[in-house]
Each structure stands twice: as C-alpha cells, then as structure tokens.
Amino acid sequence: MSIENISNNKAFGGWNKQYTHRSNTLNCDMRFAIFLPPQINTGTKVPALYWLSGLTCTDENFMQKSGAQRIAAELGIAIIAPDTSPRGDDVANDASYDLGQGAGFYVNASQAPWNRHFHMYDYIVNELPELIEQHFPISDQRAISGHSMGGHGALTIAMKNPKRYSSMSAFSPICNPINCPWGQKAFSAYLGADKDAWKEYDSCELMQSATKFIPALVDQGNDDQFLSEQLKPHLLAAAATDKSYPLQLNYHDGYDHSYYFIASFIEQHLRFHTKHFAANNH
C-alpha cells in the first residue's frame, strides 16, 4: 500500500505531515494527518493515538486547533487523524451536514447508495493501522479518542475491539445514537430499518454487554449546546455503573462543544493514554 506525502510542518521537534492514499476499503482516495514525535529519531517505535473527528470535520481540525503536539512530543506519542468519511465526486452525499461526506459515523454501511464507499469502521480498525504501521516507526500499541461523532466512533470501536486498544477516551461523545436525532438519521440511512444492527454501534448498548473492559475517559462541557438532545452522557454513566465499567466521566462548567474545550483538556487525555501504554508494556 503506497502513500503520498502532501505537506510537512515541523512542530515541537517532531513533524506534522499529511498523506493521501488509495483506500481499497472505502473505494476512493483518502487523506490522513500524522504527528510524528521527536523520539522516532532514536530508532524506537512509538505508540499511536488514533483521533476521530466530528461532523463536518476533516483530518485537519484536530491537528490545527487542539494543541496536542506539544504534549505528544513530550510523551513520545504519534497521533493519527483520519478524515471523517469517504470523499470524491462519485461518493454518495447528502445536502445536510449530518449525513454523507463529512459524516461517516464510523460504521460499515449496509444500505445503498452508502454501502459502496461508507465502511469507515473497517477503515479505522484494519486498513489505516496496517498502512500506518507499514510506513512509519509506530508500534502496535494503540489508543483511540475522538470528539462528538468521533467520540462515538472511538468508544464503539474500542469496545468492539478490546484487544487492539489499551485505552479509549472521548470529548462530548454521542453516547446513545440509537436514541438521538443525529444517530437515528445516520443509522436509518447507513444501516436500514433493523434496529438490532444499530445497537452494534451504540456505546451504551456495547458497554452493557461488554465482557472485556478498556479504561475509558470522557470529558463533557456543561454548556454544550448539544448536551441534552444529542449527546446524553448520563446514559453512558448509567451503563457504566450497571456494568462496573472503568469509566471516568468528568463534567466541566462553562465549556461548550468547541475545540476550545478540547484544547483545554487534551493534555489530560494524552497522559491518560500514556499511563495505559506503560501498563500494557509490563
């Protein structure tokens, strides 16, 4: 699998780079961003955090707005930020912002016309890590995190693949998509009318049925405009309590849904993942 480098920016002794590649999983060309910390210069493979962004975002939002590179450089963590959906003139789309391109919801679509390209779940779990580990000095130690739609993706992907990730975290995740407007719209389109298929991509449902636990950290702003209608973290907290799941859920007064919130607490998330990378090394 070949990749093409399209940008390079030095940051905190490491490199922020962008690449394009042909995705066989998504049947289109894709772009991702990667931060390579300075520790790669020693010849050591570094662990990786996969960051999944939210609705309307690309690979660039997190890399340009979160300020994560400074702490990642200190801790020796690579960060990989994929795009949020397939892209291209021949890729199905919708006029609204919450369906189609920029709104892949990290599922494998089963319904036409989406099922030709929209297999973001398989892309994130299998194709992209294989590509990354082939081309960069990055180990198979992985953590996963994300924001909003990407927080939903990070939590569901980790819980469905507990052996692949040492920890998971999210900012303002869509916790119960089967019971919120964003999730119901996307799942109806991508997965069809069978609501049992929806449950396979719902954090609350997956947490309730989990048999293997992954350390989880979630941060949520109390002034988030989507809190009550779309995000519903109280339902995730209830599921964690019922299951005794190792979830740390923090609420923060005054913070909203923006990248100002993410930038304020991203350091705690990177240190959380580093702690669990170290624990998995023993």
Side-chain angles (χ1 to χ4, degrees):
M1 294 186 289
S2 62
I3 59 176
E4 180 183 354
N5 179 229
I6 57 172
S7 75
N8 299 282
N9 299 97
K10 193 163 188 179
F12 301 101
W15 287 94
N16 212 88
K17 298 171 178 272
Q18 282 179 302
Y19 291 86
T20 59
H21 72 102
R22 182 71 184 177
S23 169
N24 294 325
T25 300
L26 303 177
N27 194 27
C28 66
D29 292 336
M30 288 295 285
R31 189 176 74 189
F32 66 87
I34 184 168
F35 175 71
L36 297 167
Q39 287 81 355
I40 65 166
N41 297 325
T42 67
T44 307
K45 289 187 175 182
V46 298
L49 174 69
Y50 286 82
W51 172 269
L52 308 183
S53 288
L55 291 166
T56 75
C57 290
T58 69
D59 62 296
E60 294 184 332
N61 298 71
F62 179 79
M63 293 302 202
Q64 294 180 0
K65 295 180 178 181
S66 70
Q69 291 90 340
R70 179 178 65 84
I71 303 302
E74 174 194 325
L75 299 174
I77 300 174
I79 300 174
I80 297 99
D83 203 346
T84 53
S85 78
R87 306 272 183 180
D89 293 340
D90 64 338
V91 175
N93 202 9
D94 190 88
S96 59
Y97 75 95
D98 53 1
L99 186 68
Q101 295 186 37
F105 268 84
Y106 306 101
V107 304
N108 286 338
S110 60
Q111 306 299 301
W114 312 104
N115 56 352
R116 182 162 179 256
H117 297 284
F118 282 71
H119 294 110
M120 285 298 292
Y121 174 87
D122 282 348
Y123 177 70
I124 298 299
V125 173
N126 297 311
E127 186 179 33
L128 183 61
E130 182 180 346
L131 186 76
I132 294 296
E133 290 162 23
Q134 174 187 343
H135 287 280
F136 301 99
I138 288 176
S139 73
D140 60 0
Q141 271 201 303
R142 308 177 197 95
I144 192 164
S145 185
H147 173 233
S148 195
M149 176 186 73
H152 139 78
L155 298 178
T156 56
I157 284 171
M159 282 189 280
K160 287 165 73 74
N161 299 275
K163 293 183 179 178
R164 290 185 67 84
Y165 304 96
S166 57
S167 52
M168 60 183 180
S169 73
F171 291 84
S172 319
I174 303 170
C175 294
N176 191 208
I178 64 175
N179 288 314
C180 80
W182 276 340
Q184 290 166 346
K185 178 178 181 177
F187 287 5
S188 295
Y190 298 144
L191 304 174
D194 180 7
K195 294 192 176 179
D196 283 338
W198 297 14
K199 292 178 181 179
E200 288 297 308
Y201 298 103
D202 185 284
S203 293
C204 292
E205 296 287 336
L206 292 170
M207 193 167 277
Q208 288 278 18
S209 61
T211 57
K212 293 186 187 326
F213 293 172
I214 301 176
L217 172 63
V218 172
D219 280 285
Q220 175 64 59
N222 282 327
D223 281 18
D224 191 317
Q225 64 268 43
F226 303 113
L227 179 57
S228 58
E229 183 181 25
Q230 303 282 14
L231 306 181
K232 303 181 186 294
H234 66 285
L235 298 178
L236 188 70
T241 298
D242 289 346
K243 196 69 177 182
S244 298
Y245 203 99
L247 168 68
Q248 179 183 343
L249 172 59
N250 304 315
Y251 288 94
H252 303 276
D253 287 340
Y255 287 94
D256 58 18
H257 199 69
S258 72
Y259 265 85
Y260 295 107
F261 173 49
I262 296 170
S264 299
F265 296 98
I266 191 62
E267 177 173 352
Q268 287 90 324
H269 282 240
L270 292 177
R271 294 192 184 281
F272 168 81
H273 293 301
T274 297
K275 178 177 74 174
H276 292 289
F277 284 143
N280 276 13
N281 264 337
H282 296 311

